[in-house]
Amino acid sequence: MRKTKNLNWADVTPRADWINRRALIAGAGAALGLGALPAAARIAAVPSAYSTDATPNTLKEITSYNNFYEFGWDKSDPAKYAGQMTTDPWSVEIGGLVERPGSYGLDDILRNATLEERIYRFRCVEAWSMVIPWIGFTLASLLDRAGVQPGAKYVAFETLHRPGEMPGQRAGGIDWPYVEGLRLDEAMNPLTILATGLYGEALPNQNGAPIRLVVPWKYGFKSIKSIVKITLTEAEPRTTWKALQPREYGFYANVNPEVDHPRWSQASERKIGGGLFAAREPTLMFNGYAYQVAGLYAGMDLAKNY
Ligand code: MTE
């Protein structure tokens, strides 16, 4: 299994490149919900040993090909409509089996966070993938602040429910709000982050502003966006996709090339941005993060616990 390599800021994408890229897409900025951010808006973050050395997708790819069903079913809907979502003020209610339950304001969360850049592979259950340079902090650090009680075994997350700003929530299909969950040891794993930015700037709305989960060894649907609630529970939470289609989407949803989705193979993936004729790439066990996370599932039948 390949280990990850430590990277410097400069290794990611030279800053001038980002700025040029941003200038290029400035015309589309409003549609992308990006706006032209001044240099002061750039987020200072330290590089991480957990970053992959794979080349990140472009900002344009990351912000224009999205799944965020609160804004529609098409990959281009989030970039079109997520600008309607108000993300300031924002707070996250942390409750359930914690010592210090309450409403944690985003400013307060960020003031107490050590922001890192994490360049992660991202693999959607639909068999496409990207490489994304997130800015974020460990979920463990926030849960430690709230104080996890001994009885807690799972963490449930909820997305904003605001049909007035989210056209997809006015349509049917999903029992809103979107809910996801992790086992507590998965939540505490150092790879699990809450992202608040990408490419060194605040997270665009379509990517789950202002704060979203990123769990790089699991299919993308676990990485819930625009989180307003985190609850520590004893029982496995009822999660959106598992509740909708339990045979197709399990609670674990670990990336696994050997366990196919009932309707398609998971053995390979299409890298976004690779072009029409690019060969599919083999999917890696735990999306390439087996070295860090395989131990969490020792002794478990991964075909049953999919
Ligand atoms: N979170 C919410 N609230 N709503 C969603 O529809 N889609 C999920 C996940 N988180 C989704 C969500 C899916 S299926 C994927 S693949 C990723 O977000 C996509 O993240 P991205 O658009 O930033 O690449």
Side-chain angles (χ1 to χ4, degrees):
M1 187 52 54
R2 197 162 71 99
K3 285 199 204 177
T4 50
K5 166 186 152 220
N6 204 349
L7 282 187
N8 292 320
W9 252 130
D11 294 328
V12 188
T13 303
R15 193 191 141 125
D17 276 9
W18 307 350
I19 291 170
N20 286 341
R21 191 179 302 130
R22 293 187 66 81
L24 274 177
I25 62 163
L32 291 174
L34 290 170
L37 289 171
R42 297 189 58 75
I43 302 168
V46 292
S48 165
Y50 292 113
S51 287
T52 170
D53 54 7
T55 306
N57 279 82
T58 65
L59 181 64
K60 175 138 204 223
E61 286 158 357
I62 297 168
T63 56
S64 59
Y65 188 90
N66 300 99
N67 280 331
F68 199 167
Y69 298 115
E70 283 83 342
F71 296 101
W73 290 92
D74 204 272
K75 295 282 182 288
S76 61
D77 285 337
K80 278 189 209 140
Y81 305 119
Q84 299 170 22
M85 174 172 62
T86 311
T87 57
D88 183 18
W90 194 276
S91 55
V92 181
E93 193 187 322
I94 307 183
L97 300 170
V98 289
E99 304 294 345
R100 290 172 288 281
S103 175
Y104 289 68
L106 187 68
D107 289 352
D108 171 53
I109 291 174
L110 287 176
R111 215 177 311 116
N112 287 282
T114 306
L115 292 179
E116 288 177 40
E117 184 189 54
R118 299 277 184 110
I119 306 167
Y120 279 166
R121 281 182 285 273
F122 188 88
R123 169 63 157 81
C124 179
V125 72
E126 298 162 339
W128 53 264
S129 66
M130 295 202 202
V131 173
I132 305 183
W134 303 107
I135 303 287
F137 57 93
T138 60
L139 172 62
S141 64
L142 181 62
L143 295 181
D144 285 343
R145 258 193 90 194
V148 178
Q149 289 182 4
K153 295 201 179 81
Y154 293 90
V155 189
F157 306 84
E158 246 179 71
T159 294
L160 178 71
H161 186 229
R162 196 181 285 157
E165 295 182 359
M166 297 174 141
Q169 287 184 341
R170 302 198 287 273
I174 285 180
D175 187 13
W176 309 107
Y178 194 105
V179 176
E180 258 310 331
L182 295 173
R183 224 170 52 188
L184 185 60
D185 58 347
E186 299 175 323
M188 290 303 207
N189 188 276
L191 281 178
T192 305
I193 59 165
L194 287 168
T196 54
L198 66 82
Y199 264 117
E201 290 178 0
L203 207 56
N205 280 10
Q206 59 266 43
N207 293 93
I211 184 164
R212 61 96 51 92
L213 185 69
V214 180
V215 194
W217 73 94
K218 291 178 179 282
Y219 292 123
F221 69 86
K222 298 295 289 183
S223 291
I224 182 173
K225 297 177 168 183
S226 305
I227 297 168
V228 291
K229 198 168 177 185
I230 299 178
T231 312
L232 280 287
T233 63
E234 204 196 325
E236 183 185 295
R238 181 179 187 274
T239 51
T240 296
W241 288 100
K242 186 178 172 187
L244 261 179
Q245 291 286 359
R247 285 187 48 256
E248 300 196 353
Y249 308 102
F251 178 79
Y252 285 95
N254 291 316
V255 175
N256 188 339
E258 287 156 26
V259 177
D260 288 339
H261 185 279
R263 290 184 280 133
W264 58 83
S265 164
Q266 295 291 25
S268 68
E269 61 202 53
R270 175 175 65 92
K271 193 158 181 225
I272 300 302
L276 221 51
F277 304 105
R280 293 177 69 87
E281 292 179 9
T283 288
L284 303 174
M285 189 65 204
F286 296 112
N287 201 25
Y289 298 95
Y291 179 75
Q292 289 94 344
V293 301
L296 295 173
Y297 311 102
M300 268 174 72
D301 181 342
L302 297 177
K304 283 203 184 105
N305 297 284
Y306 55 87

